[in-house]
Amino acid sequence: MLNRFKRVFGFGACDPKEGTTIVINAEKLERRVALLDNGVLEEYNIEREGESNIVGGIFKGRVKNIEPGLKAMFVDIGYEKNAFLHFWDAIPAALDSGLEEIEKEGRPKRQIKKITSKNIPEIYPIGSEIMVQVTKGPISSKGPRVTTNISLAGRYIVLMPYTDQFGISRKIDDPKERQRLRQIVQKLNVPEGMGIIMRTVAQGQRFRHFVRDLAMLLEQWREVESRRDAQAAPVCVYREPDLIERTARDFLTENVDNIICDNLETTQRMQEIAGRISRRAKRHIQHFSSRIPIFEELGIQKQINEAFQRQVLLPCGGYLVIDETEALIAIDVNTGRNKGSKDLDKTILETNLESAREIARQLRLRNIGGLVVVDFIDMRHRKDQLAVYKMMKDCLRRDKAKTQVLQITPIGLMEMTRQRINESLRDYVNDYCPYCSGRGRIKSVMTMSVEIQRQIHAVILKHRETAGDLIVVVNTDVLSRFKKEDAPLLMELERQCTGRLIFRSDPSIHREAFAILDANDNSPLYQVNM
């Protein structure tokens, strides 16, 4: 593998199974981006032709309805389902707890009248126009969620055009670097009434990079204002860049060793985007041509396939069982084949620690969120529980979605929440099974035999004097059981009937569907349709 990449990229090429590599598969109908850390798939994103990601998009909408009981309003942003705006999201937000607030020198604090949720219906009455940004895409039957706290993300900074707050990401933990960034904030010429946030990737960057980033963001905001003033609501005035551009903006950092793309046109576009950021970053982007699909070549496809499995194997021999529902994710940890050492406590701790690392990875890969409950293997010692809790917290630091983790309860459960921004990977690429309607289960043949015999008996009692022969239409699998195991029971039923019981199979009907018909005119006496 390494020799092959050296031939393609040159003598100094790195093995994609070492370091951090971004792999892009660009096809006509779909674009996929995978982030590998030493060959292990850590993040995975898909974008399909004709589908638009509205998360991060800015809209000029119109208030359609206000629900005081819900403390929310519904905003028409031009989509089939109105957007949901909670009153809390319509109040100027305080700086996120993950940011350190900075006071900008020479800028007096504005005296802003305090706004509460009671004021929102007066500020935004029904029919009024409102500027909102999508924070959460439509999921299942729910429409998108929006906020009035608008921001534009750049390479190193985030521009907040409607608030004059300034902050630095707390993930930058070097005190000297934080002090340097505070000084840069003071030097930047941010327009009155606007604020900025220093992103984590700002660490170590030169002043000129921030000047250029701010200028690009201000230009973007001027375009947003131009569209806002020129068009009537509802209208989209800003849309987040596509997956390729977002990858260049968010992932192309000093920590990335290689970017490999299997499409020449997309590679050139990435190089052009990266060239605006830095020439050094541009050199990391390479085109890779192969007869074998790139995700197959690097073993990524196998890891993606595993992301859809209910059971996830762990290197230690244990395994996870992940069950995803609409609002809750249940994860069960099992020791499996991990017999470990003679010290049972040590074996349990080893399995739980490995599980915590894998759970954090699986949450990112599957893009699942909401309430997550993890049933770890019971640990007797509190110090072991705290070690697993700390491991989970540490592994979730790289997650871009907001997470909150509670300590393990006395019965071995860990509760956590993960921000849901879009559909999960499972819901995005799958349709509900038309046979089981998404339940993942169908009634057994024996269950159907019992239910059908019960209904035949009920029909015989109800229509004893009017019905003659009865036709029973069932699935082929059910009829097979009737012929083999249940023939004596059906003969007993027939003796209670004034006519005959005629059984017919229909391989096209659902296993749980059946019909009992009057043989004289084929009129249904009882039927279950699926």
Side-chain angles (χ1 to χ4, degrees):
M1 174 67 72
L2 179 55
N3 291 334
R4 169 164 171 66
F5 275 82
K6 284 185 177 180
R7 286 200 304 272
V8 176
F9 299 142
F11 183 77
C14 299
D15 187 346
K17 292 189 177 181
E18 296 179 0
T20 303
T21 303
I22 294 174
V23 183
I24 301 172
N25 167 226
E27 299 168 343
K28 289 184 178 179
L29 291 180
E30 185 177 77
R31 288 160 296 280
R32 301 186 294 170
V33 175
L35 188 145
L36 304 180
D37 190 355
N38 293 321
V40 178
L41 180 63
E42 292 290 344
E43 297 191 34
Y44 178 58
N45 291 289
I46 307 176
E47 184 177 77
R48 289 176 174 167
E49 192 66 28
E51 294 181 353
S52 57
N53 174 31
I54 67 170
V55 175
I58 301 174
F59 294 80
K60 180 165 80 168
R62 192 176 299 279
V63 179
K64 299 296 288 185
N65 192 24
I66 297 176
E67 297 288 348
L70 294 175
K71 290 192 175 180
M73 62 181 75
F74 292 90
V75 182
D76 179 10
I77 60 173
Y79 282 77
E80 181 181 353
K81 294 177 182 176
N82 290 333
F84 179 85
L85 175 62
H86 200 283
F87 287 175
W88 294 335
D89 294 321
I91 299 172
L95 212 61
D96 190 280
S97 59
L99 302 168
E100 175 198 358
E101 187 169 4
I102 301 170
E103 289 190 15
K104 178 81 166 168
E105 294 177 2
R107 180 176 293 190
K109 283 195 173 183
R110 292 184 298 165
Q111 298 298 318
I112 303 175
K113 183 182 176 181
K114 187 176 181 181
I115 299 174
T116 66
S117 59
K118 295 179 181 179
N119 307 125
I120 299 303
E122 301 171 8
I123 299 173
Y124 303 113
I126 294 177
S128 62
E129 293 184 347
I130 182 171
M131 286 284 285
V132 293
Q133 186 168 32
V134 178
T135 58
K136 186 177 179 181
I139 298 174
S140 186
S141 60
K142 300 176 182 176
R145 184 160 182 167
V146 296
T147 179
T148 59
N149 295 293
I150 292 171
S151 62
L152 284 176
R155 171 71 172 158
Y156 304 113
I157 63 177
V158 175
L159 176 68
M160 299 181 293
Y162 287 154
T163 177
D164 58 357
Q165 293 176 312
F166 296 82
I168 297 176
S169 170
R170 292 190 187 275
K171 290 183 180 180
I172 302 174
D173 48 16
D174 183 356
K176 291 183 179 179
E177 179 61 16
R178 297 183 68 82
Q179 181 59 34
R180 187 185 74 89
L181 291 175
R182 290 190 198 100
Q183 294 172 356
I184 289 176
V185 168
Q186 303 300 337
K187 294 177 183 177
L188 288 173
N189 186 19
V190 182
E192 194 74 26
M194 295 187 181
I196 61 168
I197 294 169
M198 290 287 193
R199 302 181 68 180
T200 307
V201 293
Q203 190 167 1
Q205 301 302 320
R206 297 180 181 179
F207 176 71
R208 57 185 174 86
H209 293 154
F210 298 104
V211 173
R212 183 170 54 196
D213 213 19
L214 178 60
M216 291 172 63
L217 289 174
L218 290 174
E219 179 60 31
Q220 281 185 8
W221 181 245
R222 283 190 286 269
E223 292 175 3
V224 169
E225 289 181 311
S226 177
R227 295 192 195 102
R228 177 197 64 190
D229 298 337
Q231 301 179 64
V235 62
C236 177
V237 294
Y238 171 79
R239 193 177 296 281
E240 270 281 278
D242 64 13
L243 181 59
I244 301 302
E245 192 167 337
R246 291 200 310 273
T247 300
R249 182 190 71 190
D250 298 336
F251 288 109
L252 193 54
T253 66
E254 299 294 328
N255 298 324
V256 174
D257 300 300
N258 293 302
I259 293 186
I260 307 166
C261 180
D262 63 357
N263 181 275
L264 181 58
E265 185 180 342
T266 304
T267 303
Q268 292 171 343
R269 184 184 168 209
M270 287 279 292
Q271 289 173 338
E272 181 185 348
I273 296 170
R276 299 186 218 133
I277 301 168
S278 77
R279 292 178 182 177
R280 185 177 182 275
K282 181 178 178 179
R283 292 197 297 269
H284 285 275
I285 304 169
Q286 302 288 343
H287 175 239
F288 177 72
S289 178
S290 172
R291 293 180 181 179
I292 304 173
I294 190 168
F295 274 37
E296 296 282 356
E297 178 94 3
L298 301 181
I300 301 171
Q301 190 59 53
K302 181 182 177 183
Q303 296 186 61
I304 294 171
N305 294 339
E306 290 172 353
F308 291 97
Q309 301 299 318
R310 180 170 179 258
Q311 189 177 98
V312 179
L313 300 178
L314 300 172
C316 68
Y319 64 92
L320 309 175
V321 177
I322 303 176
D323 287 314
E324 181 181 346
T325 68
E326 185 172 349
L328 183 141
I329 313 300
I331 303 176
D332 185 33
V333 180
N334 298 276
T335 52
R337 295 180 289 103
N338 185 18
K339 305 305 178 184
S341 62
K342 294 181 180 179
D343 187 342
L344 180 60
D345 290 338
K346 185 177 179 182
T347 300
I348 291 173
L349 177 60
E350 176 192 48
T351 305
N352 283 340
L353 288 172
E354 200 165 283
S355 298
R357 287 192 292 268
E358 185 61 26
I359 288 167
R361 172 176 172 264
Q362 289 290 329
L363 292 177
R364 292 194 306 273
L365 279 185
R366 299 174 187 234
N367 191 29
I368 49 180
L371 178 62
V372 182
V373 179
V374 184
D375 183 10
F376 284 106
I377 305 165
D378 289 341
M379 293 170 282
R380 292 188 300 172
H381 305 298
R382 186 60 182 165
K383 66 175 184 178
D384 291 349
Q385 294 179 359
L386 292 173
V388 174
Y389 170 73
K390 184 177 182 300
M391 174 65 74
M392 182 67 81
K393 292 273 288 184
D394 291 343
C395 292
L396 287 172
R397 290 185 189 277
R398 69 181 300 168
D399 199 333
K400 290 183 173 61
K402 293 179 181 178
T403 57
Q404 184 177 3
V405 187
L406 301 181
Q407 291 192 22
I408 297 174
T409 66
I411 58 174
L413 298 180
M414 176 183 284
E415 298 174 6
M416 58 183 292
T417 59
R418 185 177 186 270
Q419 180 186 20
R420 296 182 73 188
I421 299 175
N422 277 316
E423 291 178 304
S424 69
L425 185 61
R426 184 197 69 170
D427 290 341
Y428 185 77
V429 302
N430 293 336
D431 285 331
Y432 276 115
C433 171
Y435 204 85
C436 71
S437 301
R439 290 177 298 168
R441 292 283 191 275
I442 57 172
K443 290 181 180 179
S444 69
V445 174
M446 182 175 181
T447 299
M448 290 310 304
S449 177
V450 172
E451 290 187 4
I452 293 169
Q453 290 181 59
R454 186 181 296 129
Q455 289 303 328
I456 291 173
H457 182 67
V459 168
I460 289 172
L461 293 177
K462 185 176 181 181
H463 301 279
R464 185 185 295 276
E465 297 179 1
T466 58
D469 293 350
L470 298 178
I471 299 174
V472 183
V473 183
V474 298
N475 178 274
T476 306
D477 295 339
V478 178
L479 184 62
S480 178
R481 177 175 175 97
F482 282 167
K483 288 179 178 179
K484 296 176 182 177
E485 289 94 337
D486 298 335
L489 297 174
L490 296 172
M491 290 172 64
E492 178 66 28
L493 272 176
E494 191 173 43
R495 282 195 283 270
Q496 301 174 27
C497 185
T498 55
R500 295 177 302 155
L501 288 178
I502 304 167
F503 291 92
R504 293 179 184 170
S505 70
D506 184 349
S508 66
I509 69 170
H510 197 286
R511 181 190 284 181
E512 297 179 15
F514 66 94
I516 304 173
L517 312 175
D518 188 331
N520 293 324
D521 55 7
N522 282 339
S523 61
L525 301 177
Y526 187 89
Q527 64 182 12
V528 175
N529 296 318
M530 295 295 293

